[in-house]
Amino acid sequence: MFLHKTNFLMRALFPRYRWRVPTQEPRVFLTFDDGPIPEVTEFVLDALRSHDARATFFCIGDNVRKHPNVFRRILDEGHSIGNHTYNHLNGWKTDDPAYLANVTQCQQVLSRPTRLFRPPYGRIRRSQAQVVQQTHEIIMWDVLTGDFAPDLDKEIVLRKTLQYTEAGSIVLMHDSLKAWPTMSYILPRMLDHFANRGFRFDALPMTHA
Ligand SMILES: [Zn+2]
């Protein structure tokens, strides 16, 4: 089962990675990985706009290159962007120089400073992380929605996502073609659910406050 809430053990093992935002205020931090993708990312932006919500987009550099107009819309509408490498590399399967060069290549195409980085698949070696952390904060997640698994029942994904999300949660979704059927189902319902309960949807800050 993909769908889960990150437990204390994971957080204890990797205390220097960010898993949630320490707040008691009713704020949720939605994050979208693997875009920008036409239609999919645009659907997300429309849904966010209709709820006056902000989110964080961890972009694949090569997708930014291919879809610059969609990328620009993310920024124009007040959302945050983060680095997700240029080619969506798995850190466990990539040597350090190649991995770090790919992070730099992504940063160049993002063309604006962001301290936010999320390793694809959540997989990054300690040696890689040590270098990335000199310029970025490594952002993991509190709630993994499972939107990328087409065999999961959409209703179950929605129910678990609503159940696990709480004040300060960093919620991981995908603005990808693969996640599209499930993500497009859960996102509007999630926005409605938490807006009705007085929650705000905020972007993670791209620079230190
Ligand atoms: Zn990814």
Side-chain angles (χ1 to χ4, degrees):
M1 194 76 173
F2 287 113
L3 216 149
H4 70 237
K5 185 166 174 70
T6 303
N7 62 34
F8 74 95
L9 185 61
M10 287 285 282
R11 297 201 293 269
L13 276 171
F14 301 102
R16 297 196 64 212
Y17 302 167
R18 179 163 296 289
W19 298 91
R20 39 182 295 118
V21 175
T23 180
Q24 301 301 317
E25 292 170 33
R27 302 167 69 196
V28 169
F29 299 82
L30 301 179
T31 64
F32 296 88
D33 288 10
D34 299 354
I37 299 291
E39 282 193 68
V40 182
T41 306
E42 290 163 307
F43 170 90
V44 172
L45 291 169
D46 290 344
L48 294 172
R49 182 154 62 182
S50 71
H51 286 78
D52 194 25
R54 299 290 178 278
T56 305
F57 292 79
F58 288 93
C59 298
I60 296 175
D62 198 40
N63 285 339
V64 174
R65 178 188 64 78
K66 286 190 271 196
H67 311 297
N69 293 337
V70 184
F71 178 67
R72 197 164 308 119
R73 209 188 131 188
I74 295 173
L75 292 169
D76 287 349
E77 298 188 9
H79 304 291
S80 288
I81 50 156
N83 185 321
H84 199 47
T85 78
Y86 196 84
N87 297 109
H88 207 258
L89 296 186
N90 182 334
W92 294 359
K93 295 180 177 171
T94 312
D95 65 45
D96 291 5
Y99 190 84
L100 297 167
N102 210 261
V103 173
T104 302
Q105 192 181 358
C106 180
Q107 199 59 48
Q108 284 163 349
V109 76
L110 293 178
S111 70
R112 71 162 46 199
T114 176
R115 67 182 186 86
L116 306 171
F117 176 83
R118 176 173 283 157
Y121 316 101
R123 290 176 178 174
I124 182 167
R125 295 182 198 174
R126 192 172 290 265
S127 54
Q128 295 161 348
Q130 278 170 350
V131 179
V132 171
Q133 283 172 318
Q134 291 169 11
T135 48
H136 292 77
E137 184 173 15
I138 293 179
I139 310 293
M140 302 302 258
W141 53 83
D142 183 40
V143 180
L144 183 65
T145 61
D147 61 353
F148 54 87
D151 51 327
L152 287 182
D153 185 314
K154 286 187 290 197
E155 274 301 333
I156 295 175
V157 172
L158 176 65
R159 183 157 46 81
K160 292 285 182 186
T161 300
L162 297 181
Q163 179 188 333
Y164 290 154
T165 301
E166 57 191 339
S169 283
I170 297 173
V171 180
L172 171 51
M173 290 188 261
H174 292 83
D175 49 337
S176 68
L177 289 169
K178 193 177 169 194
W180 174 230
T182 300
M183 182 276 288
S184 60
Y185 181 79
I186 64 173
L187 175 61
R189 290 165 177 82
M190 183 173 193
L191 288 165
D192 284 340
H193 178 92
F194 285 100
N196 288 339
R197 284 159 180 77
F199 276 75
R200 251 174 46 206
F201 300 92
D202 288 336
L204 296 165
M206 287 194 286
T207 54
H208 286 291

